[in-house]
Amino acid sequence: MTTTRDTPTTITTDVLVIGSGPAGASAALFLATYGIDHMVITKYRWTANTPRAHITNQRTVEILRDMGIEQDVIAQGVSSQLMGDTVFCSSLAGEEIGRVRTWGTHPGRRGDYVLASPSDNCDIPQTLLEPILVGHAAERGSRVRFDTEYLGLVQDDEGVTVTVRDRISGHTYDIRARYVIGADGGRSQVARDINLPFEGQMDLAGSMNIVFHADLSRFVEHRPSVLYWVLQPGSNIGGIGMGLVRMVRPWDEWLIVWGYDIDGPPPEVDDEMATKIVHDLVGDDTIPVTIRSTSLWGNNKMYATRYRNGRVFCAGDAVHRHPPSNGLGSNTSIQDSYNLAWKLAAVLSGTADESLLDSYDAERAPVGKQIVLRANKSIEEFGPIFDALGVTGTSDPQQQQANMAARTDSTPAAEKQRQALREALELKNYEFNAHGVELGQRYRSVAVVSDGTDEPEYTRDPELFYHPTTWPGARLPHCWLARDGHRVSTHDVTGKGRFAVLTGISGEAWVEAARAAADRAGIEIEAHVIGPGRELNDAYDDWARLREVHESGCVLVRPDVHVGWRSNDLPADPAAALTAAVLSILGRS
C-alpha cells in the first residue's frame, strides 16, 4: 500500500495519549473526568486480546472508586475470597507441597487490609478491565483512534508534533498536542525517541503463555486461588521444571506460564505442544482442553530513572519493565497516570505553573524502581523453596524427585527439611502479601510541602505492612466517617480532581481559610469539619487516632488523595498559611 501524507489540516489537542493499555486507558479516563481535551491513539484494532495483567490491588480499586467506576470493576472481577489459597504442588491432580494464604486472605492479615482502604482487591483480567476504562473514558469525552500507529515526534517550546499512520488507509498525518503521554508498553518507541535513561536489563529469561479453556473445578474449587505453582523436575531440559497455572475465570478459563531457553531459538508452540504442557501441569491427560492462544515473552529487570523529557511523559510498562511477580504491573501503570493527570489538568487550566510537572518524575520514578526490584527479588525468593526440596543440588531428575519425597520421612534430616520448607514458603509473603509496597508510597517533590517533621519510622516491615500516616507526601489514611448515619470514607470526601482540607471542630477557622486560598489560587478546595453535630462525624474516633495533628490543625489533601501539607494546630493566620501551602504545591509560590 502506498503511504501518502494527509496535509490539509493538522489535528490539535491538549494531550495526546499513545497507547490504550492500563496506563493509557486510565490516563484517558482521568483526563476526561477532569474535562481536559485529549486524544488516544493505539495501533491495535481494540484493547488487550490476552488476559495478561489481572491482580488489581486496593490502591488501584480505590482510584477507580474515585472515578466512580469501582462497582463496574467489582462486578466483572473475582473477589478476594477466591484469590488466596496459593498452592505449590507436583501437579493439580498430584501431591500438594504446601500452601500460602495470599492477597490478604490470612486471618492474621485480613484486618490490615480491611482497615487500610474502603476498597478490596480483586482479580480482573486485562481483557475485561481495559474495555471498562476505555468505555468510560469515551463516554466522558475521550476521542480514541484505533488502528493508528505512532511513527515519531518533534517537540518545541509550545508543543509536540506527533506523526501517525492510519493502518487501514495507510495515510500519515500529524497531531499537534501541548503534551504527550507515551504509554506504549515495554518496548516503548516513545521512551526511545525522547532518550529516557534506563538501568537494568531486558530479556533475562524466556516465558510462554498458554491461554486455554478446561473445566478444572474438581482440582481447585476446594482450594480456590488465582495461582497454582507446579514443580516437576525433569519436565524440561536442564531445569527445575516450575510452571504456573493461573486462573483467568473460575474455574474453566486458565493461563499457563512455562519457561523456555531464551538463548536458543524460540519454540514453535502449536496446539499439540500446548495441550501436552497443560495436561502435564494439571496431571490428567483425559481432560478436554481448548487452546485459545499462545505467546512468548521475556522477563525484564529495567526501569527508567527519568519519566519526562520536555513536554513528553512516559508511564506504565514504558518506564518500568519487570516480571508479573507481586501483581504490580497494571496497578503501578494506572497509579502513574493518576499522579500525572491532575497535574496536567492544573497546568492546562492555568491554575498551576508548569514546574508542577517536575514532580511527576520525582514522585513516580522511585516507585517504578522499587517495584521492578521487588518483582525480580520475588523470583529469586523461589530459591529457598527449591533448596529446601533438594532440587538445586543436582541436575538428575530422579534424584530431585527422591529429594522432594524425602521430606515425608520420619528422620531428623526430613524434619530439618520440613522446617526449611516452612521458612521458605513464609518468605513468599513478600510476593503475595506485600501490603506496604502496594499502599505505602510516600512522595518527596516540589508538590509536597513539609510541615517540619521527620518522616515517621516504620513500626513493622515496610514491604509487608502498610503504615498509615498523614505525613506530607503519604497517601491519605482511610477510615470510616458518618454522614447522615451512613458510612463514608475519608477517600470519599477527598479526590474528585480537587484539593480538600480536613479539620476538627476546634479548627473551623480552616473553612474560611480554604475559601480564601481557593479564591487566591483560582481552584476548588473542599473543606470538611469532622466532629459531632457536623456533616461528617468521626463515628468510631478512628480519624482522631489517624490524623496525627491536633483537632485544631488541618490536613491538606491533593487531588490524588496524597497529603500535600498539614498544620499541627491553628496558626494566627490560617488563610495565609493554607494559601502559601496551596500555591507552593501548584508551583506559584
Side-chain angles (χ1 to χ4, degrees), residues 114-237:
V114 172
L115 287 171
S117 175
S119 304
D120 202 358
N121 49 21
C122 70
D123 186 285
I124 179 168
Q126 195 168 341
T127 45
L128 297 180
L129 179 59
E130 285 184 11
I132 294 174
L133 298 175
V134 171
H136 281 285
E139 183 181 52
R140 299 177 189 186
S142 291
R143 292 177 292 167
V144 184
R145 292 198 170 195
F146 295 97
D147 288 306
T148 303
E149 184 177 6
Y150 165 79
L151 297 179
L153 61 82
V154 176
Q155 57 175 317
D156 52 51
D157 291 342
E158 302 299 323
V160 187
T161 301
V162 178
T163 302
V164 303
R165 180 174 72 91
D166 185 311
R167 299 184 78 182
I168 298 174
S169 69
H171 289 173
T172 62
Y173 59 95
D174 291 338
I175 300 173
R176 179 71 174 170
R178 294 177 65 183
Y179 298 99
V180 168
I181 300 175
D184 52 336
R187 307 281 176 180
S188 171
Q189 184 181 336
V190 176
R192 291 195 301 271
D193 288 348
I194 64 172
N195 297 313
L196 290 186
F198 282 85
E199 294 184 5
Q201 184 178 347
M202 297 281 281
D203 296 325
L204 295 170
S207 294
M208 68 178 72
N209 283 357
I210 301 170
V211 180
F212 66 99
H213 279 85
D215 183 0
L216 304 183
S217 301
R218 67 182 184 274
F219 304 117
V220 299
E221 63 184 356
H222 58 289
R223 48 184 181 177
S225 183
V226 173
L227 306 175
Y228 298 83
W229 295 92
V230 181
L231 183 59
Q232 293 182 340
S235 60
N236 63 346
I237 298 173

Side-chain angles (χ1 to χ4, degrees), residues 17 53 127 132 181 230 278 281 353 476 502 511 523 541 552 574 583:
V17 181
T127 45
I132 294 174
I181 300 175
V230 181
V278 171
L281 295 186
D353 184 77
L476 177 71
L502 304 180
V511 175
I523 62 172
D541 288 327
S552 63
L583 292 178

Side-chain angles (χ1 to χ4, degrees), residues 20 35 43 51 101 106 151 224 248 346 350 355 384 446 468 506 540 542 572:
S20 62
K43 66 181 180 180
R101 296 182 180 96
H106 191 295
L151 297 179
V248 176
S355 61
V446 295
S506 300
Y540 305 103
D542 287 338

